[in-house]
Amino acid sequence: MQQGKFITLEGIDGAGKSTHLIWLEDFLRRKRINNVMTREPGGTPLGEQLRTLLLDQRQIMHAETEALMMFAARREHLDKVILPSLTRGDWVISDRFADASFAYQGGGRGVSFDKLQILEQWVQGSFQPDLTLYFDVPIETARQRVQSVKTADRFEQEQDEFFRRVREAYLQRAQQFPERIRLIDASRPLQDVTSALEGIIQETLFN
Ligand code: TMP
């Protein structure tokens, strides 16, 4: 029986998720809500090892191998972290979840959405986040942010065209699931993004 809430954060690389995650953790602390912050791919010892392989620039893999590894890491994450935490009554905040597979492997790499849906059904059944915050930014803004932070990983090194497809897939999913996925224009000044975020969380999870 799920008691806690499951919130996921999504966006192309450089959308500013990390900053908003820190704000969200602080917000929940102020509300005295026990929470678990986690991420995908990763969140478990095995998942973190898969993450290392998935982000390693030297790895060359078939797009479907990449999709299978993302869902394998997710299966472990659900079993070891997400579901037990929610059952305990904690809230779980995940930096990415299955929408990222539809956006990156589906939109970006061209893996068939039907195949991804089969994997989703296999790994999650009907389980979905209570709320997904999708931070939307133009490709150019995201690219500038990524370049200024660190050396690019296997995804970040992709061309603008790849991220255009990823963003398009995210936007389509936001349209497809408007109740669950809330789009936030993250190209605005930080303070505006934060107040939009707070408004959405209050409205969807505390009313
Ligand atoms: P991060 O940089 O936001 O931690 O995410 C790691 C990378 O993994 C990011 O470039 C997006 C990618 N990714 C996928 O391609 N598919 C997935 O299902 C997930 C969860 C992440």
Side-chain angles (χ1 to χ4, degrees):
M1 254 277 285
Q2 177 180 334
Q3 292 166 337
K5 302 277 187 203
F6 181 39
I7 307 173
T8 60
L9 279 74
E10 299 282 357
I12 59 173
D13 295 84
K17 281 182 294 106
S18 317
T19 311
H20 305 305
L21 265 170
I22 295 166
W23 177 86
L24 190 52
E25 189 174 18
D26 186 55
F27 175 81
L28 294 177
R29 193 179 309 121
R30 280 184 273 128
K31 292 259 182 197
R32 300 187 190 287
I33 291 171
N34 287 338
N35 64 83
V36 174
M37 308 294 280
T38 187
R39 68 173 179 182
E40 289 205 355
T44 65
L46 176 60
E48 289 295 325
Q49 290 203 31
L50 290 171
R51 178 188 178 91
T52 303
L53 290 169
L54 282 159
L55 299 194
D56 183 352
Q57 281 197 35
R58 292 164 305 181
Q59 294 293 334
I60 297 166
M61 64 181 81
H62 192 284
E64 290 185 355
T65 309
E66 189 179 278
L68 287 161
M69 283 171 70
M70 292 292 179
F71 276 98
R74 184 161 302 128
R75 181 70 189 85
E76 202 61 17
H77 196 202
L78 278 163
D79 185 50
K80 300 281 187 324
V81 178
I82 300 174
L83 297 177
S85 305
L86 293 174
T87 306
R88 245 188 351 252
D90 290 350
W91 286 31
V92 177
I93 318 299
S94 187
D95 185 350
R96 302 194 185 281
F97 191 63
D99 294 304
S101 300
F102 285 90
Y104 280 79
Q105 281 66 54
R109 303 270 195 237
V111 174
S112 114
F113 286 102
D114 288 348
K115 285 185 177 172
L116 294 173
Q117 248 154 24
I118 292 167
L119 289 178
E120 183 188 42
Q121 175 63 31
W122 185 14
V123 166
Q124 296 162 228
S126 59
F127 178 79
Q128 290 292 340
D130 293 291
L131 173 66
T132 296
L133 301 158
Y134 166 58
F135 295 93
D136 187 56
V137 287
I139 310 300
E140 297 68 29
T141 313
R143 168 121 359 245
Q144 280 165 11
R145 289 183 185 165
V146 168
Q147 274 169 353
S148 64
V149 180
K150 56 183 172 93
T151 48
D153 64 33
R154 206 167 61 82
F155 291 97
E156 291 162 347
Q157 69 175 5
E158 288 291 340
Q159 302 300 309
D160 285 359
E161 199 38 50
F162 174 82
F163 289 106
R164 235 166 243 124
R165 293 196 301 272
V166 173
R167 184 184 184 203
E168 196 47 46
Y170 268 131
L171 289 169
Q172 273 175 17
R173 273 186 87 72
Q175 268 192 359
Q176 201 182 344
F177 305 106
E179 297 281 301
R180 174 174 68 83
I181 306 180
R182 300 295 297 267
L183 186 149
I184 298 170
D185 174 359
S187 62
R188 291 173 295 170
L190 181 58
Q191 218 177 346
D192 296 357
V193 181
T194 308
S195 40
L197 181 58
E198 182 164 3
I200 290 171
I201 290 176
Q202 287 284 7
E203 172 201 324
T204 53
L205 301 174
F206 291 98
N207 277 339

